[in-house]
Structures are given as structure tokens and as C-alpha cells.
Amino acid sequence: MSINVKNISFTYNEKEVLHDISFSAGSGDVVAVLGPNGVGKSTFFRCMLGFLHPQRGEILLNGQDIFSMTNAAVAREIAYIPQSSSPAFNYTVLDTVLMGMTNQIGLFSSPGPAERKTAMAALEELGIAELAGRGCNKISGGERQLMLLARSLVQKAKILIMDEPTANLDLGNSHKVMKRILSLSRQGYTVIFSTHEPNQAFQFANRVVALQNGRVLAEGKPEEALSECILSSLYASNVAVREIEVNGKVFKLAISYDEGE
Amino acid sequence: MENNASSGRKKDLLFIGLGVLFAAVFFASFLLGRYSVSPFTALKILGSELLRCLSFGAFSPDGGWTGAEYSVVINIRLPRIVIAALVGAALSTAGASYQGIFRNPMVSPDLLGASTGAGFGAALAILLSFGYFGITVSAFLFGLLAVMLAYLVSKMSRLNSTLSMVLAGVMIGSLFSSLTSFIKYVADTEEQLPAITYWLMGSLSSSKKQDMLFALVPIVVGLVPLMLLRWRLNLLTISEAEARSLGINTKRLRLVVIICATLVTSASVAVSGMIGWVGLVIPHFSRMIFGYDYKRVIPASILLGGTFLMIVDNIARLISTAEIPLGILTSFVGAPVFIYLILEGGAAREH
């Protein structure tokens, strides 16, 4: 299972939003797409999901051109977790997770006991089974991300594309969600997530793609690719990278500072 | 898990209760009216008529009732009751479907302009002395046009989607109602004008046996796909990107749902005139009882909507000797519910 992005460029309203971007990810990879807000991360994701057709380059899903595939075929390989999901109606958590099984349910049928069991198992795996009957407007941001993660688990797609999964979460909840994501990658899932927080790339990703003005500024292992120089340029600010040791494990940490400090 | 299963069983029981209520109201409606018919006689007449239809006229049991009783039950009350049930079911299901497609619990066939558009189409057809078929087709085309226009205007607006959808619907509705006024203005005052005016207020008092078929065919043709696709309607209420990523062809599904919902709305308007608010109120009550899953919302809307309009029609014909148009009665119920929805929506945002 792999996704290959080859030299894609995307132009919108005569403005080049993405320029000559290439990268690939396979089973077990956790890829952080890093960059400040508005560098084209969302556009890049919409291309990888097959929603936007880049004017140049190609995107291959297991070797097949994604734009030659139907929505259903893409959905069997890629699950998408949006930054926020606000349905017009207050569905229960269980109902929301069941929607992930659309591909496995006939056009004219609806989920039965077997599907409900699978959905409950996914909620249990993520530790939020007790929320099943709760309305999804009445749960916290962290619980919502886990619910959407459960929805993509039952979708049975092995590539997870997550748009800023922790953007609206506090430190504790953000860690909980990222830990789940990490353990999924150990089960063989490919995870591609966007973030504007370099420390998340250091802590959780094994690969990083840093985007600046729609171009790849740096790519590779986070600890190698994200130098002080690259990060300073990326965020247009002075950034220092330090190592700290916690419980015998060394973490890299990026901190921005002012010239006089 | 057990909790979910038991709440599922409770909902199943509620559904059976709703079905029984529907059947009870359906039968009781035959007994109500100025000419009294005993329940036993009504049952016998209906049973024998059913047998006659099923055997294509070969078998027609007869006896125990007068010609007047037969005429009241079969020629006068049966068409009214069947059409009331069909129109109630159609408008409620259309409302529930529009609310899903436009991701907005505040829209309904009348607020979207679909009813007004269909009303204009029908008034135009009456003015041009079209037959029943022509009225239905014209109502459908203008209903579809109105929904498309309202949708386009709301898409182009920068207001939030709930507000822009409602405002666009009101605006398109008012455009079509002024066009209808123009038709009334040029219509012949002896025959066409009263026909158009009275019919626009919404009434089933002139329903005849042949009207049943004109309501039945398009409404069933529209309701069947909505019923079959009902679980997938849930997917239209989440964002476009999410729905696509789950593997559905959102464009095609949305188009099918819009066409079916508009078809049943237009058929209802063509056969019974403008009966407002049903499409807003009934889906709302269905969700209060059965939750938000369209798997239950659609069948609940069909049963509740049918029951509701049969009751309203009974009130309309019993309350006074001169019948009150249905549209007036449904507004008495609908407007307060709409106000409640606005207030509740505001409260939900604050929390």
C-alpha cells in the first residue's frame, strides 16, 4: 500500500498554489506536512484525496492513477479526517462511526447488527465506547477527533489523511490523539497529517514535508530535515532547536525567540 | 452496547405504535362527517370495494348498505382521505430530504420556494386550460426551477448558509407568488380566478376518485427512491469532502434526491394546492421521537405526515359548514414551531 505524488503543480485563479511537489509514503509511515497557515497544505491534501486535479504531475495510489479511480475505489484505500466536522444534525457518535462503512453497505441498505458491532469495536479500541449513544455535538474536541478516527478505522482504508488533527486541542488531548495515530502506524497504517507545529513533527512523525509558498522547502527525517535554518525560514522568525531528555528519551524541541533575548 | 440495543427496540415499538395510529386515523376518517356511517358499514363497504378491485370486478359482494352510504364512503371520503395521507407523507418526506441535502433543519418545500414555484406552474396551467397531467408537469418544472434558483442564490451569498438558504427561499417564493398574482390578475374572473384562488389556499374538498391516481403515481414514484436511499441521506448532511472520501458520488445522490423531493412536492401542490409548514414541522417531530438517523426519519415522516394531514383535513371539514382551507390550519401549527426552531437554534449556538 503506497501513495506516490509525482511533481504535481496546482494553479487556482492563475495563482500557483502548489509547485512541483513530490513525495511518497508507504505502510507504517507517519508523515507530517508542515508549514505555517495558508501555504497550501489543504490544497495539497485535496489533491491527494482526488478532489482537485493538479494541472501537472500525477498521483499514484498503489501504482494506479488516482484520477482514473471512482470515489468508492479511492475510499477503499484512503480515509480522510477533516479538521472539524460539523454535521447539520446532532447524530450520535455511533451513527457517525457507522457512516464510515458506506462502502461496505449496499446502495439500498442500512447498517445492521454486524456493522454496529464492528463500529462498537472501533470505539472500544480507541477507548471511547461509552460515548456511543452521545450526540456528536455534545462531546469534546479530543473525543470528536477520536470519533472521526474510529470512523476511518471501520472504513478499512489503510492510508489515513488527517487535516490538522490537533489544531483545536489542548496539549493533553492532542497527545492522546497523536498517540493513537502512532499506534495505528505500528499496525501498518500509513498516516499523513498536516500541522503548523514543528514539535509535533519531531515527536510523532518519521518523515516530514515542509511546505513554503506551495513548494517543498525540506523533506526527510524530521531531526535531519528540520534544521534551525529551515525552521527559521519556514516561520519567518528566529527558531532554535534544542534537545531535552525525558525519562531517558531524547526529544527535539523548536522554540522561537526574538533577537535581543 | 446493550443500551443501544434496547433503545433500538424501544424505537421499533414506537414505530409499530405509529403505524397503528396511522391505520386508526385512516379508518376513523371514514366515519367523520355530516352524513353518518356506522363503523361496521364502512368496513363492509371498504372490504367489498377492495375485493372488487383485487378481482378486477369479477367479484363484487353487495348488500347491507344503501347507495348513499356507498357513495359517501367510496366516492366522497375515500379520495379525500387517501389524498390527505399521500400529500402529508409527500410533503413531510420532501421536507426531511431537502433539510438533508441543504444541511439545514430550517428548510422545507414551502420555505425553499418549491411549493410557490409549483403553485405558479399550476396556476399558469389552469390559466392555459391544461388538463390534470399538464398541471402536474407544469407544477413540477416550476417547482424544480424555484429550488434550483434558491440554491444558486444562497450559494452566491456571503451570509452563513442557514440564513442565506432561508432568505433566498423567501425571495424566490415571493418572486413566484407575485408571478402567480399576475396570473390571477389576467385570469378570467368568472371561472379561472376563483379556481386558482381557492385551490392555492390548499383544499381537498373537491378531491375526486380520479385525482387519487394523479396523486398516487408521482408521489409513489418519488417516495420509493427516497425510502430506498434513506440511510445514504445521512451522508449528504456531512461536509462534501467527508462524504466523497467515504466513497459516495455526492453529485448524483444529491440530484436524485432533489428530483424526487421536488416531484412529490409538485404532485402534492398540483392535487391539493398550497399546504404549508407540513414539511418543516413533521420531520422535526420525527427527529424528536426517533433521533437524527434518516433510516428512521424518512419512514417516520411518511407515517406522521400522513396521519397529521388526515387529522387536519378532518378538522377542516368538521369545524364549520363552510370548509376552512387546509393551508390556513397548517399555518396555525407551523408558524409557532418555526419560531421555536429559531429560538432553539439560537440557544444551541450559545452553548
Side-chain angles (χ1 to χ4, degrees), chain A residues 12-185:
Chain A
Y12 181 73
N13 275 349
E14 291 177 16
K15 189 176 168 268
E16 199 172 49
V17 187
L18 299 174
H19 178 81
D20 196 29
I21 292 184
S22 298
F23 103 106
S24 66
S27 183
D29 277 336
V30 179
V31 184
V33 176
L34 185 69
N37 295 324
V39 287
K41 287 181 300 217
S42 291
T43 308
F44 181 39
F45 277 16
R46 295 179 85 81
C47 289
M48 278 197 291
L49 286 160
F51 297 167
L52 291 177
H53 205 314
Q55 282 82 3
R56 269 182 293 137
E58 59 179 354
I59 297 171
L60 302 177
L61 197 53
N62 298 334
Q64 198 186 345
D65 178 13
I66 199 168
F67 297 103
S68 71
M69 299 167 74
T70 61
N71 282 353
V74 174
R76 272 189 280 276
E77 306 297 330
I78 301 182
Y80 167 63
I81 296 169
Q83 183 177 340
S84 62
S85 172
S86 48
F89 301 107
N90 187 18
Y91 289 105
T92 63
V93 169
L94 183 63
D95 282 342
T96 308
V97 174
L98 284 168
M99 291 184 203
M101 304 179 88
T102 305
N103 243 343
Q104 300 147 54
I105 293 169
L107 184 60
F108 297 144
S109 13
S110 41
E115 281 82 15
R116 268 196 287 278
K117 218 172 139 191
T118 311
M120 280 309 294
L123 286 172
E124 256 154 49
E125 192 182 336
L126 295 175
I128 49 168
E130 74 283 358
L131 298 179
R134 194 91 68 83
C136 62
N137 292 346
K138 297 209 162 59
I139 57 177
S140 73
E143 290 166 341
R144 185 167 308 174
Q145 286 309 108
L146 291 176
M147 168 186 82
L148 295 177
L149 201 54
R151 187 177 75 187
S152 49
L153 290 187
V154 301
Q155 194 177 335
K156 296 208 172 104
K158 288 289 184 181
I159 299 174
L160 307 181
I161 292 189
M162 314 179 79
D163 196 359
E164 305 256 3
T166 60
N168 303 316
L169 304 185
D170 62 54
L171 191 65
N173 277 310
S174 159
H175 187 80
K176 250 183 235 160
V177 170
M178 291 311 296
K179 232 173 52 189
R180 296 289 179 187
I181 294 173
L182 214 56
S183 78
L184 288 174
S185 77

Side-chain angles (χ1 to χ4, degrees), chain A residues 71 85 91 105 151 155, chain B residues 1 232 234 242 245 248 292:
Chain A
N71 282 353
S85 172
Y91 289 105
I105 293 169
R151 187 177 75 187
Q155 194 177 335
Chain B
M1 187 72 186
R232 300 220 156 202
N234 289 319
E242 285 175 272
S245 75
I248 62 164
Y292 294 89

Side-chain angles (χ1 to χ4, degrees), chain B residues 70-113:
Chain B
Y70 176 85
S71 180
V72 163
V73 170
I74 299 300
N75 295 335
I76 298 175
R77 290 186 190 159
L78 178 70
R80 261 191 103 134
I81 296 164
V82 169
I83 290 175
L86 280 172
V87 168
L91 291 175
S92 314
T93 311
S97 309
Y98 284 132
Q99 287 160 11
I101 308 173
F102 297 118
R103 298 190 190 101
N104 188 338
M106 304 269 255
V107 303
S108 67
D110 28 333
L111 276 176
L112 270 176

